[in-house]
Amino acid sequence: GAGVSQSPSNKVTEKGKDVELRCDPISGHTALYWYRQSLGQGLEFLIYFQGNSAPDKSGLPSDRFSAERTGGSVSTLTIQRTQQEDSAVYLCASSELAGGPTDTQYFGPGTRLTVL
Amino acid sequence: AQKITQTQPGMFVQEKEAVTLDCTYDTSDPSYGLFWYKQPSSGEMIFLIYQGSYDQQNATEGRYSLNFQKARKSANLVISASQLGDSAMYFCAIQNFNKFYFGSGTKLNVKP
């Protein structure tokens, strides 16, 4: 079946502008995660959605970052008033979360954000 | 708090040889999952192998196996018969209460 998709694949923006990044998870996956990966670094957790529960926003670096998940499927990560330090690859992952190996996350190809 | 440590920032291995990538973790929770991912230069994160904390046997998936030593809190990845296509970053991750924590990664270079 189709994997996790993300759009756009690349985004170049000017400092101070707002950007929206989109993630389409695997159909039927109830959990959705956003991560940020700076060049040569590991993955930094941003936010996690699970079904209809309130999202875990504990990883969002500032109030300029927000995310929504509509209808339990598509998610949008919004960064307001972008700064140069926001430049990174933003990865989305989804998971079935039914226990054990089904907790495996499957990642999208990422959105490379460059803030000039 | 959960913590994942990968102490090898970079490693070299000769093609067709086996290589072990180290991963240790710190958690006080009895139930957790351990995962290894591969990230080639193209950037995608590819799931390799899973080990549950209550699994009695070490996980294996083709050329990948996980050397799980629960008492030592280590979950090393063993790649047998290395191939040039194995050159990539490798990340270890622990999952607990539906959150994932990733290590800083190990860059593996396979030499012909």
Side-chain angles (χ1 to χ4, degrees):
Chain A
V4 178
S5 61
Q6 292 185 247
S7 61
S9 55
N10 279 286
K11 177 71 177 178
V12 180
T13 190
E14 293 179 347
K15 178 182 174 181
K17 296 285 180 78
D18 298 351
V19 295
E20 286 190 350
L21 313 180
R22 176 187 168 103
C23 172
D24 279 277
I26 293 173
S27 177
H29 280 193
T30 60
L32 187 149
Y33 303 78
W34 283 98
Y35 295 90
R36 179 168 70 176
Q37 186 176 30
S38 300
L39 188 63
Q41 303 297 311
L43 274 69
E44 175 189 4
F45 165 77
L46 296 177
I47 188 169
Y48 152 65
F49 296 89
Q50 165 64 356
N52 295 320
S53 302
D56 181 341
K57 305 179 182 179
S58 59
L60 294 179
S62 78
D63 58 8
R64 296 187 296 105
F65 288 72
S66 62
E68 290 184 342
R69 188 178 186 191
T70 55
S73 182
V74 171
S75 177
T76 302
L77 176 69
T78 301
I79 309 174
Q80 296 178 309
R81 306 180 303 281
T82 52
Q83 304 294 313
Q84 288 183 330
E85 60 263 27
D86 299 335
S87 296
V89 175
Y90 289 80
L91 291 163
C92 175
S94 71
S95 170
E96 190 176 346
L97 272 190
T102 67
D103 293 355
T104 299
Q105 293 183 318
Y106 294 91
F107 283 82
T111 294
R112 182 175 298 277
L113 175 66
T114 303
V115 183
L116 301 176
Chain B
Q2 279 66 231
K3 182 180 176 182
I4 288 276
T5 302
Q6 294 182 251
T7 58
Q8 306 152 313
M11 288 193 70
F12 286 89
V13 64
Q14 198 70 39
E15 191 179 10
K16 301 181 184 177
E17 298 286 317
V19 63
T20 298
L21 306 184
D22 294 342
C23 173
T24 57
Y25 57 92
D26 183 19
T27 180
S28 56
D29 297 306
S31 179
Y32 51 90
L34 294 157
F35 301 79
W36 276 92
Y37 286 86
K38 171 184 178 182
Q39 188 177 43
S41 57
S42 54
E44 74 265 36
M45 291 284 284
I46 303 167
F47 165 69
L48 295 178
I49 196 166
Y50 163 85
Q51 179 85 44
S53 59
Y54 291 115
D55 293 343
Q56 296 296 313
Q57 293 188 325
N58 287 342
T60 61
E61 288 287 347
R63 294 187 298 111
Y64 305 107
S65 60
L66 204 150
N67 184 0
F68 180 46
Q69 298 187 43
K70 193 171 182 177
R72 292 186 171 187
K73 293 186 176 179
S74 76
N76 299 339
L77 177 70
V78 180
I79 305 175
S80 63
S82 298
Q83 301 173 355
L84 295 178
D86 294 336
S87 293
M89 283 289 290
Y90 289 80
F91 292 96
C92 179
I94 186 170
Q95 174 255 345
N96 185 253
F97 293 121
N98 301 335
K99 286 183 71 171
F100 283 73
Y101 302 86
F102 285 82
S104 56
T106 295
K107 185 172 177 60
L108 177 66
N109 282 292
V110 180
K111 299 185 293 184

